[in-house]
Amino acid sequence: MNFSQFSFSEATMAAIEALGFEAPTPIQAKVIPLINKKQSVVAQSQTGSGKTHAFMLPLLDRLTKEEKTQLVITAPSRELAEQLYQVARTIVQHFPFTVHIERAYGGIDTQQQAEKLERHTPQLVIGTPGRLLALIEQQAIDVYSVSDFVVDEADMTLDMGFLGVVDQIAGRMPKDLRMAVFSATIPDKLRPFLTKYMDHPVWVKIDQRQLIAPTIENILIPVRGRDRKQLLTEIMTMGQPYLMLIFANTIETVDELYSYLKSHGFKVGKIHGNLSSRERKRVMRQINDLEFQYVVASDLASRGIDIEGVSDVVNYEIPKEIEFFIHRVGRTGRNGLAGRAITLYHPDERPAIEWLAERGIVFEVKDIQQGQWRDLKGLDERQARKQEPKRDPIVNGMIQRTKKQKVKPGYKKKLERNIKEYHRQKARQKQQRLRREERRKKRSK
């Protein structure tokens, strides 16, 4: 399969060639034909699956030189919106006519934006829900002529409390609007919004064969009552990471770790949602200029910000939403390069680790001693011990009695028969109990 089968314009094909794309990813292969047929789509696919170009290529290919707003795209964060803007710019620079793209998110000079919108009506608007709605209410942008509306990272939009704002934006668009919704997960709370604005959409779900890249080495370190900060500094001083992302669950913990590491002489930056747009841009510029070897981050950076060249990821804490583990670890090991993810965990967090292990993530359990990695017993060995069936205490008593006294010949067979009979009696009692419960439920109805 290749992109020529989608009947794109010469300009879009030139953009694809410049991007170096040879074959569509699975999400692109399924979604592009649907958008080309002008169908509404709900697409579920993991981060890094190529979904941005799955909607950008066919929808930009559809734009005309007519100066009216034809396409609107929302993203839950300024960083994601900026990434979408850069992708769109890369594609439309190959078009034979000028495509005006308006950015509707924080960090844009409002006076300059107002003057620009007076001169040109944008064919494409990309923004965060709040800023986009504000521009619509100020009548700076007219969305009544919009043909296509994309809600990117819909689950993240819901989590950040912006879905109601997106609802208001969609409510101002034409009734025959075509909508494309892209999300890593489809929570139940998202479904009423989808039903409200989408008439018989086509649902596309791409199951990732691997949750994370096979080039990533996953290391588990048991905390065992030790000081996490001290353990973290030991990890940071082992080897020479090119760029290490350290994830914590709250903004407060990110700030605390940042101050702690800075006071211990580490060249460290921080990224979280409470930073102003100017501060985030400054930090991102410093990261790109390799001023930091370490960056402490909240989960905003696991999905909302694209940082190149991450060699190591450290989960200082296991995320409360286990899906974010995948997003965090996915920041490293990209484009076939090797990466390493190190997770600090407490015994109470074992169920989360086992959930990930059951889904194919292979962990190496290690510790640090005298500045060196030391292998511990693997998770699979511990799991095997855990899964050994527990012996019934009564059966255990029967067996123990045979060990404490001399037994007659044939007693072993008699013991086996007694154990089988005991289990049969327990099974009958269980069935009787279930039948009684069933009758009780029927009577209560």
Side-chain angles (χ1 to χ4, degrees), residues 255-424:
D255 285 336
E256 185 185 326
L257 279 177
Y258 170 75
S259 301
Y260 174 84
L261 295 173
K262 201 170 181 185
S263 69
H264 281 68
F266 290 98
K267 292 177 69 177
V268 61
K270 68 174 177 180
I271 289 282
H272 59 60
N274 276 7
L275 297 182
S276 68
S277 177
R278 181 174 294 179
E279 285 177 303
R280 281 198 232 172
K281 282 184 177 178
R282 175 180 55 78
V283 174
M284 288 302 295
R285 186 174 62 251
Q286 289 175 296
I287 292 170
N288 291 329
D289 291 344
L290 304 178
E291 291 185 32
F292 301 129
Q293 192 176 6
Y294 310 97
V295 178
V296 190
S298 68
D299 281 312
L300 169 70
S302 72
R303 286 182 68 184
I305 296 175
D306 197 10
I307 297 174
E308 294 292 329
V310 177
S311 59
D312 296 74
V313 166
V314 175
N315 291 303
Y316 181 75
E317 303 166 298
I318 293 175
K320 292 183 176 68
E321 297 292 333
I322 199 65
E323 284 284 341
F324 274 99
F325 182 94
I326 311 301
H327 297 308
R328 289 177 179 185
V329 173
R331 296 296 94 189
T332 187
R334 294 192 156 197
N335 302 317
L337 297 174
R340 182 169 59 178
I342 301 165
T343 301
L344 309 186
Y345 81 102
H346 188 270
D348 292 346
E349 297 168 312
R350 185 160 212 69
I353 297 297
E354 288 170 355
W355 185 90
L356 292 163
E358 285 167 7
R359 280 149 186 82
I361 296 179
V362 179
F363 291 102
E364 296 176 57
V365 186
K366 293 178 181 279
D367 201 353
I368 300 172
Q369 288 187 352
Q370 299 178 340
Q372 299 291 323
W373 290 111
R374 175 175 170 265
D375 290 327
L376 300 179
K377 288 186 177 179
L379 190 71
D380 51 348
E381 292 176 44
R382 298 182 183 193
Q383 187 69 7
R385 286 205 308 273
K386 183 182 173 184
Q387 289 176 349
E388 284 179 6
K390 290 185 179 179
R391 191 179 286 151
D392 186 288
I394 294 176
V395 172
N396 193 51
M398 292 181 189
I399 295 168
Q400 291 301 320
R401 280 196 297 274
T402 66
K403 293 178 180 178
K404 292 178 182 178
Q405 61 187 20
K406 293 181 180 180
V407 295
K408 296 176 182 179
Y411 185 84
K412 189 175 179 182
K413 288 184 179 179
K414 184 180 177 183
L415 174 65
E416 288 174 359
R417 287 197 300 272
N418 288 342
I419 290 173
K420 284 181 183 177
E421 180 58 29
Y422 170 73
H423 283 307
R424 277 197 294 270

Side-chain angles (χ1 to χ4, degrees), residues 15 56 60 82-95 99-101 103 124 126:
M56 277 289 189
L60 295 183
E82 175 65 21
Q83 287 172 35
L84 292 172
Y85 170 72
Q86 295 300 338
V87 169
R89 269 188 55 182
T90 304
I91 295 169
V92 301
Q93 68 182 359
H94 297 273
F95 285 22
V99 176
H100 297 289
I101 308 174
R103 291 177 288 174
L124 167 61
I126 299 172

Side-chain angles (χ1 to χ4, degrees), residues 9-24:
S9 65
E10 289 183 12
T12 302
M13 288 303 294
I16 291 167
E17 188 176 347
L19 288 165
F21 293 169
E22 294 182 0

Side-chain angles (χ1 to χ4, degrees), residues 23-118:
T25 65
I27 188 72
Q28 291 164 3
K30 287 196 174 184
V31 166
I32 290 173
L34 297 172
I35 292 179
N36 281 343
K37 290 177 186 174
K38 300 186 176 181
Q39 290 181 287
S40 287
V41 177
V42 178
Q44 184 178 349
S45 181
Q46 293 288 344
T47 300
S49 58
K51 61 183 175 58
T52 299
H53 287 91
F55 63 81
M56 277 289 189
L57 290 170
L59 290 175
L60 295 183
D61 188 69
R62 192 182 292 167
L63 294 179
T64 68
K65 62 182 178 181
E66 186 180 359
E67 284 202 15
K68 67 174 186 178
T69 303
Q70 303 163 40
L71 170 61
V72 172
I73 303 172
T74 67
S77 73
R78 288 173 291 210
E79 289 75 20
L80 282 170
E82 175 65 21
Q83 287 172 35
L84 292 172
Y85 170 72
Q86 295 300 338
V87 169
R89 269 188 55 182
T90 304
I91 295 169
V92 301
Q93 68 182 359
H94 297 273
F95 285 22
F97 55 88
T98 302
V99 176
H100 297 289
I101 308 174
E102 191 56 44
R103 291 177 288 174
Y105 43 89
I108 308 297
D109 187 291
T110 50
Q111 184 60 39
Q112 287 183 3
Q113 187 171 46
E115 292 171 4
K116 182 183 173 186
L117 288 169
E118 282 181 10

